[in-house]
Structures are given as C-alpha cells and as structure tokens.
Amino acid sequence: MSEAGILDCSNVSRWFGGVHALQDVSISVTKGEIFGLVGPNGSGKTTLVNAITGFYPPQEGTIRFEGNDITGMKPFRIAKSGIARTFQNVALFRGMSVLDNILMGRHIYMRPNPLAALFYPWWAGREEVAHRKEVEEVIDLLQLESVRDEHVDVIPLGIQKRVELARALSAEPRLLVLDEPMAGMNQEEKEYMVRFILDAQEQLGVTVLIIEHHMDVVTAICNRILVLNNGEPIAMGPPAEAIADPAVVEAYIGGKRDAA
C-alpha cells in the first residue's frame, strides 16, 4: 500500500456457480479521494463493494484497509474497522423516525449492559447523550433538522437517501462506500446529494468509494474511476479519460456500426 493509500484490492475474484462476477480486479484508493466504480448493469460493481464490506468475500485475491488484511472478515468487524456503506435500494428501518434511523449508525460504539440500564441516569444516560451529540452534528451537516422526528416511511425518496447517508456518516467512517446514492432522484435532489457528499469529504475527512450511473456526477466529483464490464476491469484513470476509452464506449453502446 502506498503511503497515502487507504484501500487496496489485489486480484479480487468472485463467482456464483458458473458466473464469474469479478475476475482479477485490482484497485488502490488514495486517502481523501473520491473513487468511482462505473460500468453497465451486471458488470460487477456491487459485487466488488460487497466483497470489500464482507457480504460476499472474494474466493481469490486480498483486500486491505489501512494496511490490514480484511479479506473474509465479518461485515460487523469491517464496520468497526472504519468502513461504512449505503445500499443501492434504500435499507432504512421502517416505522422508525429519521433520528432513530441515524442513531442506528452508532451501534458499533454501543455496549449493551443490564447494569448500565439499571443505573441509567448516571451510566447509560451519559453514553446516550454522547451518541446523540454525534448524530446531531451529522443532522446539521446534511440539513435534516426539519424531518428529524418524521417516520422514514412518509418522507420523499431523495430525503430517504440522505438519511441513509447520515446513518453511514454517524458511524464516523474513514472510508464511505456509496452504492448508487443518486438512483431514482430528480436533478435537484442529485445536486443536493453531490453537495452533501463533497461536504462530508471536506469537513469529516472521509475517503469515498462510489458506484454511480450518472456520468455527469462521476465527472464532477470523482478524482479517478474504474470501469468494469462483465466482471473485468477495462479502464481506470481520471473520469474524462476513462470514459473516452474505446473499450468503455463499446461496452456501453456496442461496437462501431458499418457506415452503410
């Protein structure tokens, strides 16, 4: 790993039966950057993210975070190590308020203790206040004050996505993994989300690994991208250069047609 590196995936492969979802994929994400994963549907982007976060460990290859081998580690241990994620489909707790959902992001720091509950005002109460303080700062950052007490079931999709981002940030990650955070959003909601991601990077110092289909977003905020197709890397580098690669153009729109 380079001096400024934070995440290194080396020759990662993952298959499901006879389907090779990832084939020999390697990336090195630099601390503080926004690194994009791009590719057509089914190209292996979410599979790579699931390998990094422990949901589907790779059958081959290694994954290192801050120099430590996390290959095959359980998801909750990876979360404790400093990696938080959002999901392609909103995965909030229905029937709970925005505030309570964001508080769930603090679970990795909570230590359930019957004795602490018995002496709540002196023990557990102080811990809860400390967690609430951290959450309130995230609520301010993402401008969720007006919906903090609303149930997540009744708020718009764009704000639900923002709540999921807030829950991930409340875990105080050093690496934030975002799986299509703009999916289903209109242009205004996308612009808000881009701003909040940039604010989180700048104010909280997080490194971001993002899957995104909107190329305007990718070119606007990513320092570098990796383009996948059929589980294989086909281009990597600054967004404008990687997207213009002939292999990437062919993967998205097919080969050149005859002039006739």
Side-chain angles (χ1 to χ4, degrees):
M1 185 179 71
S2 64
E3 183 179 349
I6 190 169
L7 176 72
D8 285 281
C9 301
S10 301
N11 308 114
V12 171
S13 295
R14 172 78 203 190
W15 54 87
F16 301 91
V19 177
H20 282 258
L22 291 174
Q23 301 183 57
D24 202 29
V25 176
S26 297
I27 62 171
S28 182
V29 179
T30 303
K31 184 176 181 181
E33 78 172 327
I34 299 179
F35 190 99
L37 293 176
V38 177
N41 289 331
S43 60
K45 304 181 299 295
T46 297
T47 302
L48 179 58
V49 162
N50 284 334
I52 292 168
T53 54
F55 287 88
Y56 294 112
Q59 282 113 339
E60 293 180 356
T62 58
I63 300 172
R64 292 184 176 275
F65 176 61
E66 296 181 329
N68 300 311
D69 191 344
I70 61 170
T71 313
M73 190 180 290
K74 297 294 184 184
F76 78 93
R77 294 194 180 279
I78 291 176
K80 284 186 174 182
S81 75
I83 300 176
R85 71 172 293 181
T86 65
F87 293 86
Q88 185 174 349
N89 298 313
V90 176
L92 297 173
F93 294 97
R94 302 295 174 178
M96 293 173 59
S97 70
V98 167
L99 175 61
D100 288 337
N101 266 276
I102 299 173
L103 273 168
M104 289 299 296
R106 301 291 302 171
H107 77 281
I108 59 173
Y109 301 109
M110 296 178 181
R111 302 288 182 269
N113 187 326
L115 191 60
L118 182 62
F119 296 100
Y120 177 84
W122 303 278
W123 192 340
R126 275 183 286 184
E127 182 184 19
E128 182 176 325
V129 168
H131 289 309
R132 284 287 291 267
K133 182 177 181 296
E134 296 294 336
V135 165
E136 293 296 343
E137 291 178 1
V138 175
I139 287 175
D140 289 342
L141 177 67
L142 300 189
Q143 299 180 11
L144 290 167
E145 301 92 338
S146 62
V147 296
R148 64 197 310 282
D149 296 318
E150 298 285 345
H151 279 197
V152 294
D153 311 65
V154 300
I155 60 178
L157 175 64
I159 299 181
Q160 289 184 23
K161 289 270 190 175
R162 206 189 308 174
V163 172
E164 194 166 44
L165 174 61
R167 183 176 62 187
L169 289 174
S170 72
E172 299 180 60
R174 295 182 296 284
L175 175 64
L176 177 64
V177 181
L178 305 176
D179 192 347
E180 296 193 36
M182 280 68 158
M185 289 185 175
N186 60 37
Q187 186 62 33
E188 183 180 12
E189 290 170 332
K190 282 167 52 182
E191 290 172 359
Y192 271 111
M193 183 62 80
V194 164
R195 192 186 79 189
F196 292 131
I197 292 171
L198 292 173
D199 285 347
Q201 180 205 28
E202 180 180 350
Q203 297 183 34
L204 304 180
V206 298
T207 303
V208 180
L209 176 64
I210 181 172
I211 295 175
E212 190 49 63
H213 280 295
H214 295 96
M215 291 304 177
D216 56 336
V217 172
V218 169
T219 55
I221 69 173
C222 291
N223 303 105
R224 293 182 299 136
I225 66 171
L226 168 69
V227 186
L228 295 170
N229 189 36
N230 296 322
E232 298 181 4
I234 58 173
M236 183 161 55
E241 294 179 14
I243 291 171
D245 189 290
V248 175
V249 175
E250 183 174 352
Y252 272 95
I253 65 174
K256 296 181 180 178
R257 298 181 180 180
D258 294 332

